[in-house]
């Protein structure tokens, strides 16, 4: 976890620093639905490498965005879920989804007018 003095002055830059990667945003999107196991995330996030998923999960755990729960079973069972801080990002993810839907409509309108 970064210290307050290591964070950018700009609050937008702070948010981007914490969740700005493509994969972190998509991990958060998935974890908004329910807790996920590592291999479930790996299968669902087409194209993510094991290393990037591991590094992203560790980083978000250290930053307090997600929680990691280990069940003492054989083999060990680990689930990832959003912390309360992570859940507070729901409006951000919803706004991004809405913007993406509107952008797709915009592109469809442009393509229809070309015909």
């Amino acid at each position: 976890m970064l210290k307050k003095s290591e964070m950018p002055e700009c609050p937008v830059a702070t948010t981007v620093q914490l969740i700005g990667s493509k994969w972190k945003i998509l991990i958060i999107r998935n974890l908004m639905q329910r807790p996920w196991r590592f291999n479930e995330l790996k299968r669902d996030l087409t194209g993510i490498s094991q290393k990037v998923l591991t590094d992203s999960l560790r980083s978000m755990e250290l930053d307090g965005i997600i929680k990691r729960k280990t069940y003492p079973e054989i083999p060990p069972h680990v689930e990832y879920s959003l912390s309360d801080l992570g859940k507070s990002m729901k409006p951000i993810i919803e706004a991004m989804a809405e913007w993406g839907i509107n952008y797709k409509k915009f592109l469809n309108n442009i393509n229809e007018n070309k015909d």
Side-chain angles (χ1 to χ4, degrees):
M1 181 179 290
L2 294 174
K3 296 176 186 168
K4 186 177 178 183
S5 63
E6 297 172 319
M7 290 306 223
E9 281 291 319
C10 173
V12 173
T14 298
T15 305
V16 169
Q17 185 167 335
L18 292 171
I19 63 164
S21 81
K22 165 187 172 181
W23 296 116
K24 286 183 180 181
I25 293 287
L26 296 177
I27 291 166
I28 292 168
R29 175 206 61 193
N30 282 21
L31 294 179
M32 285 193 173
Q33 300 168 12
R34 61 178 172 81
W36 288 63
R37 294 175 72 167
F38 183 90
N39 285 330
E40 289 179 305
L41 287 167
K42 176 100 172 58
R43 276 191 302 274
D44 191 71
L45 300 171
T46 305
I48 193 169
S49 70
Q50 184 164 333
K51 180 184 181 343
V52 169
L53 180 55
T54 299
D55 290 348
S56 297
L57 290 168
R58 283 183 184 153
S59 171
M60 289 191 295
E61 184 181 10
L62 286 172
D63 290 331
I65 296 168
I66 66 169
K67 298 183 289 186
R68 180 181 189 269
K69 183 174 182 180
T70 304
Y71 295 88
E73 302 172 350
I74 298 177
H77 171 166
V78 176
E79 280 186 347
Y80 296 91
S81 61
L82 290 176
S83 65
D84 288 340
L85 179 64
K87 289 175 186 174
S88 73
M89 293 181 182
K90 185 175 182 178
I92 296 169
I93 304 300
E94 288 174 342
M96 291 175 74
E98 185 177 335
W99 191 92
I101 290 166
N102 290 331
Y103 184 73
K104 286 181 177 183
K105 288 177 185 175
F106 170 77
L107 289 180
N108 285 339
N109 289 337
I110 288 175
N111 290 331
E112 287 174 3
N113 292 333
K114 285 184 179 179
D115 297 334

